[in-house]
């Protein structure tokens, strides 16, 4: 028996989350296939075939799989499930959307957002916003897992797996894609960025957020993140939110600007390698997790830091 | 149309939880409990749809011990019409079992829409809504930031990686809430009093014919390896020097 990974992609590019889920899947010790379900997604299958340690890439290409709606995608995975012992998805919004649907159809209790494979049936996963780590063992015959991507390295490339084309499922017509508003940015993706500059409510407005945070992020070639307070206040779009219910990140360098450090925010960034906090309140909880802190006004410190880095 | 809203009693979001020293779990003795925040958003959305004339009745459901009745009363005080408690003394009911129990409740209640929180802030599973949709064969829209009822359909805007996406689902359907769907109301004192008189029916997993036995065994629960506070620096130049030293620039 083998492991099936549901690839994360946008029909054009294979998302790095897939390579990270692959690292987790390798620890299960079984042959690994990757399912690329999409519409006109051949380029994604080609990229998946280059990941090291993949047996076969299954390419299901059809209109019903455009935009990865949960209903047809879950039907497709279910039709393949007999041949697999484990079904693995990265814990992206698409993965979190479809994996439990698959698990329920298989009568399996999913293990969500694993951060470590202890044994092929035993996993570590964070609970309570990462304030506790539980080790769980499943008694189900099949496994359905989602993988916290910040917790695993991306698997290497250099593979040359065969690509097998499989039929796309018929669309039962339960749901219909209406449209999307996706942010267009030249910056690295938040989930996999090496450096992240995050802003909080102290920025005061959307304009100030851009004016202060963007130049520093440009200088560091960083992704931009935000606290929930900043997103709720409309300073930053929802998909920038770092935290328990937003994105969980673990960059090399995380710079928290004007973020007080609620436990829900810390849950999303405390595994970063180096954390810098800039906040004028020296008692802010963010300083309890920061390696380096500057207790000062962000509106003077951040431009100064941007300038110092440029020199 | 009837809207069903499942709600969970969890540790209050402002409580800093403590892991038991012997690794057997999280210490919940004498800790403030509240309705899961995402479920409050779900109740609020159902109430707004009713107030807009898009729904006729809002029923809240919870699965848990007698104490979950308090959580249901919170939902009733916010404005829900009726409550159903699926009573169990099991220490934990996993999302798959919750979905099966809800499916059984839905067989009787026949709602046109079920709105759930996207995840509970205790186990952070993010599974129940999707599983329920699967078991019912209904369409799903998770992580909703906008819900618009149409003619036999619902348009849901979803918060996804990279932005927003809108789906149209045929009713009956499952929606799970994200943070920015709405700002839940506080229950007023008169409404809290009124809620005490609203109907709260009880049933059990046995009566619903559902095997709610867990599939996962928690072997141990530990505190994460903590970070220790670092140093506060005096100047930007000092910070740049430290970051260079750490090799992250």
């Amino acid at each position: 028996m083998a492991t099936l990974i549901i690839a994360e992609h946008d029909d054009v590019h294979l998302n790095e989350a897939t390579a990270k889920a692959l690292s987790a899947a390798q620890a299960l010790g079984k042959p690994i296939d990757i399912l690329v379900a999409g519409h006109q997604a051949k380029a994604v299958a080609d990229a998946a075939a280059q990941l090291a340690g993949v047996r076969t890439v299954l390419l299901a290409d059809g209109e019903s799989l455009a935009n990865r709606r949960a209903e047809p995608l879950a039907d497709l995975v279910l039709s393949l499930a007999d041949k697999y012992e484990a079904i693995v998805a990265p814990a992206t919004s698409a993965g979190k959307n479809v994996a439990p649907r698959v698990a329920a159809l298989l009568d399996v209790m999913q293990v969500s957002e694993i951060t470590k494979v202890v044994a092929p049936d035993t996993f570590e996963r964070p609970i309570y916003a990462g304030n506790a780590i539980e080790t769980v063992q499943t008694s189900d015959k099949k496994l359905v897992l989602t993988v916290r991507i910040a917790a695993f390295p991306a698997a290497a490339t250099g593979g040359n797996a065969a690509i097998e084309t499989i039929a796309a499922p018929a669309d039962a017509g339960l749901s219909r894609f209406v449209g999307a508003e996706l942010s267009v940015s030249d910056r690295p993706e938040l989930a996999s960025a090496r450096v992240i500059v995050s802003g909080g409510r102290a920025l005061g407005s959307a304009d100030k957020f851009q004016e202060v945070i963007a130049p520093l992020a440009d200088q560091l070639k960083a992704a931009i993140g935000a606290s929930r307070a900043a997103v709720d206040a409309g300073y930053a779009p929802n998909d920038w939110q770092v935290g328990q219910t937003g994105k969980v990140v673990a960059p090399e360098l995380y710079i928290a600007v004007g973020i007080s450090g609620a436990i829900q925010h810390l849950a999303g960034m405390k595994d970063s390698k180096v954390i810098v906090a800039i906040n004028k309140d020296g008692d802010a909880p963010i300083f309890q997790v920061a390696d380096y802190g500057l207790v000062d006004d962000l509106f003077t410190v951040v431009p100064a830091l941007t300038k110092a880095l440029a020199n | 149309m009837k809207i069903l809203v499942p709600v969970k009693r969890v540790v209050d979001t402002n409580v800093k939880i403590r892991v038991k020293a012997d690794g057997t779990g999280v210490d919940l003795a004498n800790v403030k409990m509240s309705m899961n925040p995402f479920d409050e958003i779900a109740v609020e959305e159902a109430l707004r749809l009713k107030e807009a004339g898009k729904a006729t009745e809002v029923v809240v459901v919870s699965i848990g011990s007698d104490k979950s009745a308090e959580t249901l009363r919170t939902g009733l005080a916010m404005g829900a019409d009726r409550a159903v408690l699926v009573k169990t003394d099991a220490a934990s009911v996993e999302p798959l079992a919750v979905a099966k129990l809800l499916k059984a409740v839905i067989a009787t209640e026949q709602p046109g829409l079920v709105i759930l929180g996207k995840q509970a802030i205790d186990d952070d599973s993010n599974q129940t809504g999707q599983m329920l949709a699967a078991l019912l064969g209904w369409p799903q829209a998770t992580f909703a930031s906008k819900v618009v009822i149409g003619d036999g359909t619902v348009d849901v805007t979803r918060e996804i990686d990279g932005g927003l996406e809108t789906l149209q689902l045929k009713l009956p359907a499952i929606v799970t809430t994200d943070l920015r769907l709405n700002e839940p109301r506080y229950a007023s004192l008169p409404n809290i009093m009124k809620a005490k008189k609203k109907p709260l029916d009880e049933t059990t997993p046995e009566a619903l014919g559902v095997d709610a036995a867990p599939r996962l065994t928690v072997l141990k629960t530990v505190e994460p390896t903590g970070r220790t506070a670092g140093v506060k620096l005096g100047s930007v130049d000092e910070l740049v020097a430290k970051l260079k030293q750490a090799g992250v620039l």
Side-chain angles (χ1 to χ4, degrees), chain A residues 163-230:
Chain A
I163 299 177
E164 184 186 323
T165 304
I166 59 172
D171 194 341
L174 291 172
S175 64
R176 187 171 71 81
F177 176 76
V178 178
E181 294 166 48
L182 301 178
S183 33
V184 185
S185 166
D186 296 334
R187 296 184 192 286
E189 218 186 322
L190 185 56
S192 54
R194 205 187 64 82
V195 179
I196 294 173
V197 181
S198 262
R201 186 158 43 191
L203 271 307
S205 71
D207 288 346
K208 283 285 173 199
F209 193 101
Q210 275 302 323
E211 193 183 311
V212 174
I213 300 294
L216 179 57
D218 289 342
Q219 188 60 45
L220 290 164
K221 295 185 176 61
I224 298 183
S227 69
R228 178 186 169 185

Side-chain angles (χ1 to χ4, degrees), chain B residues 7 61-65 68 84-88 93 97-98 101-102:
Chain B
V7 296
V61 187
S62 194
I63 292 153
S65 71
S68 289
V84 178
L85 174 63
V86 181
K87 206 169 139 181
T88 167
V93 187
V98 170
L101 292 163
L102 292 174

Side-chain angles (χ1 to χ4, degrees), chain A residues 97 112 135 140 179 272 291, chain B residues 100 127 142 166 215 219 227 233:
Chain A
N97 187 42
S112 292
T135 305
D140 282 323
S272 306
D291 300 281
Chain B
K100 289 177 180 180
Q127 299 178 8
T142 49
T166 303
R215 307 289 184 83
L219 301 180
R227 286 185 87 97
L233 305 172

